[in-house]
Amino acid sequence: MNTLAVVLEEPERLALKEVAIAAPGEDDVVVDIEWSGISTGTERLLWSGRMPDFPGMGYPLVPGYESVGRVSETGAAARSRLGERVFVPGSRCFSDVRSLFGGAARRLVVPAGRAITIREDLAERGTLLALAATAYHAIAAGGEARPDLIVGHGVLGRLLARLAIAMGGDAPVVWERNPDRADGAEGYTILDPSEDGRRDYHAVYDVSGDPQLLDTLIARLAPAGEVVLAGFYSAPLSFSFPPAFMREARIRIAAEWREPDLVAVKELIETGRLSLDGLITHRREARQADDAYRTAFGDASCLKMILDWRAS
């Protein structure tokens, strides 16, 4: 089989082209993708050529791990999944290009267990499940503590703030310097860092991706406070030891989400405790993929860009 896919041929050179995909096996499902999201973290690094070396890294590749579609065909062991609307966190079904992460395509073949059934009414908002699970993992891995300062008010920062409240914490403060992103708070406070004099934060979650920020964040900690690196950093991080020593600061790295995190956020969404509203700001048809990626990475007003595959 063939499918239409976004292919990063080399840094900053993207094409929409036909690629070959594997036939489904007994335990696989074929998903006709309706929408896929563009990540401004990892996909920006892939697009720019700044992604650190990972297993499977190389060009040409199909990016994307935020896809929603409908199961159109199944193997013999997955017949019950036919017709379901599902979230797909990427695929490795391509035979002539690399899959990192392999979700930005019109059709995908994945093991049935990787196709997560979602409510019909979630529609394109279902693409946000991966980011929601990432935010949940960052908080849940820290135990009972909840973020009281979040740095960055993009989609991940907003989800962290919403989850902090949904998971029983107090409303956090969110730092954001860009006025284009300083709105949309739902029960929490947004401040420019220059307006915030506090130096007693217990849990600071950084999703800015800025490798130069650690000293600033450590200076805002209470004794025995924690900085959680919940973004993705392409450059080495460093910090001045004496201030961290004086505060007995902790630094924790939040890894990518796991299946229990996805299950947990799905339950929060379906019970109405976590809203995904207001996070998707831009949409393009798949044939406009090059413009979509450049807008997602270059327009500060773009929180989340969605590719619409339905007309492709």
Side-chain angles (χ1 to χ4, degrees):
M1 290 192 296
N2 286 351
T3 189
L4 197 63
V6 172
V7 178
L8 276 172
E9 298 178 319
E10 60 184 36
E12 299 190 26
R13 189 159 72 88
L14 176 152
L16 194 67
K17 59 196 302 184
E18 289 280 336
V19 296
I21 57 175
E26 182 174 326
D27 297 315
D28 293 336
V29 295
V30 179
V31 182
D32 290 342
I33 298 302
E34 298 168 289
W35 305 279
S36 62
I38 298 175
S39 163
T40 55
T42 51
E43 283 191 77
R44 184 201 299 265
L45 296 176
L46 290 171
W47 184 82
S48 66
R50 294 185 295 115
M51 173 67 93
D53 193 26
F54 272 82
M57 179 63 193
Y59 300 89
L61 62 86
V62 177
Y65 53 87
E66 304 171 332
S67 301
V68 166
R70 196 171 300 281
V71 176
S72 61
E73 185 181 338
T74 73
R79 298 294 187 204
S80 64
R81 306 295 305 277
L82 194 64
E84 292 181 355
R85 175 167 279 167
V86 295
F87 166 76
V88 180
S91 173
R92 297 181 178 179
C93 64
F94 307 100
S95 58
D96 50 1
V97 292
R98 295 175 183 264
S99 302
L100 198 74
F101 300 85
R106 179 65 184 89
R107 174 172 289 178
L108 299 175
V109 178
V110 295
R114 283 182 61 81
I116 310 301
T117 306
I118 63 173
R119 283 191 338 222
E120 286 287 326
D121 64 340
L122 269 184
E124 65 178 4
R125 291 174 300 158
T127 59
L128 298 167
L129 276 173
L131 275 177
T134 299
Y136 182 90
H137 181 87
I139 296 174
E144 294 299 317
R146 301 287 179 260
D148 49 4
L149 173 62
I150 296 165
V151 182
H153 200 228
V155 175
L156 186 55
R158 293 170 197 235
L159 285 167
L160 278 169
R162 294 180 188 189
L163 278 166
I165 297 169
M167 295 168 70
D170 294 331
V173 171
V174 178
W175 281 0
E176 180 53 63
R177 287 192 173 94
N178 190 326
D180 288 337
R181 296 196 169 193
D183 58 2
E186 295 194 359
Y188 53 89
T189 301
I190 303 172
L191 294 175
D192 186 286
S194 64
E195 300 171 348
D196 188 357
R198 282 185 62 180
R199 295 180 179 270
D200 61 350
Y201 287 109
H202 295 281
V204 177
Y205 281 59
D206 178 46
V207 293
S208 70
D210 183 352
Q212 306 298 320
L213 208 54
L214 262 178
D215 283 334
T216 297
L217 302 183
I218 289 168
R220 299 303 190 105
L221 288 177
E226 179 178 65
V227 174
V228 180
L229 302 175
F232 197 91
Y233 306 84
S234 59
L237 280 73
S238 63
F239 63 94
S240 177
F241 183 75
F245 174 83
M246 295 297 292
R247 288 172 173 79
E248 199 171 358
R250 298 189 299 271
I251 297 173
R252 176 166 62 89
I253 297 171
E256 64 184 1
W257 60 270
R258 303 289 189 267
E259 185 176 348
D261 305 311
L262 194 64
V263 172
V265 294
K266 186 170 176 278
E267 192 270 338
L268 287 170
I269 292 164
E270 290 178 348
T271 57
R273 294 166 60 195
L274 175 63
S275 170
L276 300 178
D277 293 344
L279 300 176
I280 296 172
T281 56
H282 290 64
R283 299 162 181 84
R284 298 286 190 277
E285 292 185 9
R287 61 183 177 81
Q288 300 172 298
D290 186 67
D291 174 68
Y293 274 77
R294 293 179 187 278
T295 300
F297 302 149
D299 184 345
S301 69
C302 181
L303 292 178
K304 174 58 69 175
M305 171 69 78
I306 296 295
L307 287 181
D308 188 335
W309 293 90
R310 293 173 296 176
S312 300

